[in-house]
Amino acid sequence: MDTARGVLSRRGGLLFLAPALLFIAIFILFPFVWVFFLSFTNQTLTGATAVNWQFVGLANYRDLLNVSKWMHSGEFGNALVITLKYVVGSALIGQVGLGLLIAALFNRRKGILREIVFTIVILAWIIPDVVIAFAWVAYLDRDFGTLNSLLHVFTPAQIDWLLEHPLESIIVFNTWRGTAFSMLLFSSALATIPPSYLETAEVAGASAWQKFRDILLPLISSHILTDMIMITLWTFNTFTPFLLTGGGPAFKTELMSIYTYRIAFKYFEFGRGGAIAVVVMLINLTLALGYLAILRRQAVRS
Amino acid sequence: MKTVRLVLTRTLFYVVVALVGTFFVLPLLWLLVAPFDVKANLAVALPTHPTLANFRAVLNNAFAMRALTRNTIIQAGGTMLGTTFIATLAAYALSRTAVPAKDLLVYMLMLFSSVVTGTAAMVPIFLLIYHLGLIDTQLAVILTLTGGLLPSGIFMMRDFVEAIPRSYEESALVAGANSFQVFRDVVLPLVRPGMMVVAIWAFVNAWGTFLIPFILLRSPENMPASVAIYSFYTEAGTPIITLVSAYALLYTIPVVVLYLLVNWRYGFRFFGGIKR
């Protein structure tokens, strides 16, 4: 059955595709190549090296990965470790866990309660970054914040969350911010499971937890994998915590994105910024390719 | 015994739902009360005399209102139009021509676009726009955002295009129409719901974006609301909460309305990577 032919010729197809190809070439492929090139130069925005830049070989990389100092605060290794904790904590544990929980709670359930919870979680996800940032700064404020006023019932301590527990704060923040994606993906995955699968288990007297662990979880494992890779890539690149902490205090929340921003747009060292970007891309690319490989293997098996 | 367990399970369900609901709703409360309180600070307190005075002050701020009602709309609207039309054309071409392994191609493109966004693309995108002489123009923001959203837009659009039966197009071709006429007169009207979804998705994304305009724009008259909100600061550098909160609410309303519209009209179905 060759339905593809006849409706659109190859030349016509290319013409329709041309604008998209042009955009993707300029704004995705070209930056990808250029950043490699940049990372081997000492280019800056202003000063002598803005025009008369030179190739410096691997100097930028050597500087980033300089073992004697790279774990110091404000250096590359520091940002990498913080980013890893942030990704594991907020995306892989926080968003996946909470997303699964909400999706499972409301599996095969309709009604007002589900509508309310889903709407609030989705709102947390779609409201603009800066608005959410202000709301969270207010929420976590030491003197007036909602969180401290609630905790006041249990303890008189006034905690300045963003100063005393900065990384934990942005991890909880990002869990709150991004759970909706995982929740929606898991709940649509769960909805495709035939009810008969669960009925047999119910007859056998399985508890809700057993049904979840032994029936639902294995059936949506590939969705969980898809979800994990998408949110890992996105979380790796989020800049929003900058609006809460600016990367501080003392670089304790300086994620890779904020580090790149500081090097490239505060110091205007594009060569070094490029080298950071290359390392970040290589990490992301490895993740994406590993994921494609797993998907392939699953496709072959089924 | 069985009823005891059932009651326990039900109770546990409501307790967990209440906890989750509280976790998600608490940080949003401030946004609902502070704008209506002339003495608002960072606390959540029901205003003793609810007022619209904060909104009046914001509406009288020409710079902030231009950012919201002109710049943000130009940038989000431009991105929406660009992404929707280019993605529709591309999705149609991919659906109706025989390109080998196109599913994998689109999928890889989408993954790749996730790899080359934010952190990694910040530096080369800035330099690209700089060398094109487009720094501090709204066009730069529109082009950059469109480029970044396109792969996901194409991915979402493909489902809708694939759902159209080819027989309509075939009969139009038999009647002597060319490819362009078929696309305009047969395909476009049929994929309108899909275009609506992609358009709203692109609009909401561009509406809330901060990093790209923050990097690419310089002069106040081009700033969108996401950057302009940082102008409501005292000379000492602390935010003027009354104005910030009122402006934040005004800036949020279109997003919430569009979400409710999509939810009511189409149901908030799940489309590939709907938001980043």
Side-chain angles (χ1 to χ4, degrees):
Chain A
M1 196 177 78
D2 194 7
T3 47
R5 268 177 50 96
V7 180
L8 199 61
S9 68
R10 187 158 280 196
R11 241 187 80 221
L14 217 59
L15 214 62
F16 278 82
L17 211 50
L21 289 178
L22 194 69
F23 263 91
I24 288 164
I26 296 177
F27 289 96
I28 296 177
L29 296 180
F30 180 66
F32 180 72
V33 177
W34 198 357
V35 80
F36 273 92
F37 166 78
L38 267 175
S39 71
F40 300 113
T41 72
N42 63 355
Q43 205 168 333
T44 52
L45 184 67
T46 50
T49 40
V51 189
N52 296 314
W53 52 268
Q54 290 168 326
F55 280 106
V56 293
L58 292 170
N60 289 320
Y61 293 95
R62 262 201 298 274
D63 189 47
L64 288 182
L65 306 171
N66 181 348
V67 189
S68 64
K69 62 156 192 159
W70 80 311
M71 288 306 300
H72 293 187
S73 70
E75 296 294 337
F76 179 79
N78 177 63
L80 187 62
V81 170
I82 287 171
T83 307
L84 289 179
K85 286 181 185 166
Y86 176 73
V87 168
V88 172
S90 73
L92 298 183
I93 296 174
Q95 292 177 13
V96 172
L98 213 47
L100 261 181
L101 176 70
I102 302 170
L105 280 176
F106 292 103
N107 186 29
R108 314 221 157 268
R109 242 182 250 265
K110 285 207 159 50
I112 191 74
L113 199 57
R114 179 194 157 107
E115 289 298 312
I116 292 172
V117 172
F118 271 50
T119 300
I120 296 170
V121 177
I122 291 170
L123 282 181
W125 183 47
I126 58 171
I127 292 176
D129 280 339
V130 291
V131 175
I132 289 303
F134 274 112
W136 268 77
V137 167
Y139 180 57
L140 297 177
D141 187 68
R142 179 179 175 275
D143 300 318
F144 303 106
T146 316
L147 187 58
N148 274 352
S149 355
L150 286 176
L151 292 178
H152 202 70
V153 180
F154 307 105
T155 159
Q158 295 280 68
I159 302 166
D160 198 329
W161 295 98
L162 289 174
L163 277 181
E164 295 170 43
H165 304 282
L167 185 58
E168 292 88 337
S169 296
I170 64 165
I171 286 176
V172 175
F173 161 75
N174 195 52
T175 302
W176 179 89
R177 175 73 163 149
T179 292
F181 179 82
S182 305
M183 176 190 83
L184 289 168
L185 193 125
F186 296 150
S187 90
S188 57
L190 287 175
T192 60
I193 296 174
S196 58
Y197 285 33
L198 291 175
E199 280 155 15
T200 325
E202 267 156 28
V203 171
S207 72
W209 165 247
Q210 284 169 331
K211 277 186 286 181
F212 176 72
R213 190 193 57 194
D214 297 332
I215 299 172
L216 299 182
L217 207 54
L219 283 171
I220 61 164
S221 62
S222 71
H223 292 93
I224 297 177
L225 186 71
T226 305
D227 178 71
M228 280 181 158
I229 193 73
M230 298 307 278
I231 61 176
T232 300
L233 292 178
W234 295 335
T235 308
F236 221 101
N237 288 305
T238 47
F239 190 70
T240 321
F242 176 81
L243 301 173
L244 267 77
T245 65
F251 306 111
K252 281 182 193 151
T253 57
E254 191 169 72
L255 299 169
M256 219 45 140
S257 54
I258 302 174
Y259 179 62
T260 315
Y261 170 77
R262 182 164 61 90
I263 299 297
F265 294 99
K266 284 265 176 71
Y267 306 159
F268 292 111
E269 291 182 33
F270 290 141
R272 247 175 93 196
I276 304 165
V278 167
V279 178
V280 171
M281 279 195 315
L282 290 181
I283 295 172
N284 287 347
L285 211 57
T286 314
L287 287 168
L289 290 177
Y291 163 67
L292 275 180
I294 296 172
L295 268 193
R296 259 263 162 80
R297 206 178 324 142
Q298 277 183 347
V300 169
R301 213 187 297 149
S302 61
Chain B
M1 185 60 209
K2 201 162 176 215
T3 40
V4 173
R5 202 167 101 179
L6 202 69
V7 170
L8 276 177
T9 314
R10 294 305 294 170
T11 316
L12 190 67
F13 170 78
Y14 285 113
V15 169
V16 175
V17 168
L19 284 175
V20 169
T22 311
F23 174 68
F24 277 95
V25 84
L26 277 180
L28 291 173
L29 292 179
W30 173 82
L31 187 62
L32 292 177
V33 296
F36 302 98
D37 189 347
V38 271
K39 292 195 290 256
N41 53 27
L42 295 174
V44 170
L46 279 181
T48 38
H49 303 288
T51 163
L52 295 177
N54 296 342
F55 292 100
R56 232 169 284 140
V58 167
L59 291 174
N60 285 329
N61 185 320
F63 162 71
M65 288 319 287
R66 188 179 48 211
L68 183 61
T69 59
R70 181 170 148 252
N71 298 345
T72 309
I73 288 177
I74 290 176
Q75 287 163 30
T79 305
M80 174 185 86
L81 291 177
T83 308
T84 310
F85 282 106
I86 297 173
T88 307
L89 285 171
Y92 180 66
L94 282 172
S95 163
R96 301 302 200 250
T97 46
V99 182
K102 55 190 174 188
D103 289 337
L104 189 71
L105 206 75
V106 176
Y107 208 73
M108 276 180 65
L109 185 66
M110 204 179 75
L111 267 183
F112 191 68
S113 78
S114 303
V115 171
V116 192
T117 46
T119 314
M122 219 188 283
V123 177
I125 289 279
F126 175 84
L127 283 172
L128 175 70
I129 296 296
Y130 183 77
H131 287 298
L132 288 174
L134 290 174
I135 283 291
D136 199 20
T137 61
Q138 313 220 27
L139 183 64
V141 175
I142 294 173
L143 294 178
T144 307
L145 291 176
T146 303
L149 293 174
L150 260 181
S152 301
I154 296 172
F155 189 79
M156 286 159 67
M157 204 62 214
R158 284 188 62 216
D159 281 349
F160 293 101
V161 176
E162 290 288 351
I164 308 173
R166 280 149 218 256
S167 49
Y168 295 135
E169 294 153 58
E170 278 154 9
S171 21
L173 283 173
V174 170
N178 64 35
S179 304
F180 175 72
Q181 288 167 328
V182 169
F183 179 76
R184 192 191 56 193
D185 299 331
V186 179
V187 179
L188 271 191
L190 289 171
V191 291
R192 211 176 283 146
M195 290 175 79
M196 273 303 283
V197 171
V198 174
I200 291 174
W201 164 80
F203 187 85
V204 168
N205 261 287
W207 183 267
T209 196
F210 171 78
L211 184 61
I212 297 294
F214 182 58
I215 291 176
L216 298 182
L217 300 177
R218 288 279 167 274
S219 48
E221 57 265 28
N222 287 332
M223 299 292 183
S226 60
V227 185
I229 197 169
Y230 289 96
S231 65
F232 291 120
Y233 275 65
T234 62
E235 278 170 32
T238 48
I240 306 166
I241 298 300
T242 49
L243 301 185
V244 165
S245 60
Y247 193 60
L249 189 60
L250 288 179
Y251 175 41
T252 304
I253 286 170
V255 173
V256 177
V257 169
L258 282 176
Y259 161 71
L260 292 174
L261 180 79
V262 172
N263 200 16
W264 163 74
R265 187 84 170 70
Y266 307 100
F268 198 74
R269 263 175 50 207
F270 199 73
F271 302 101
I274 193 159
K275 181 187 173 286
R276 289 185 296 179

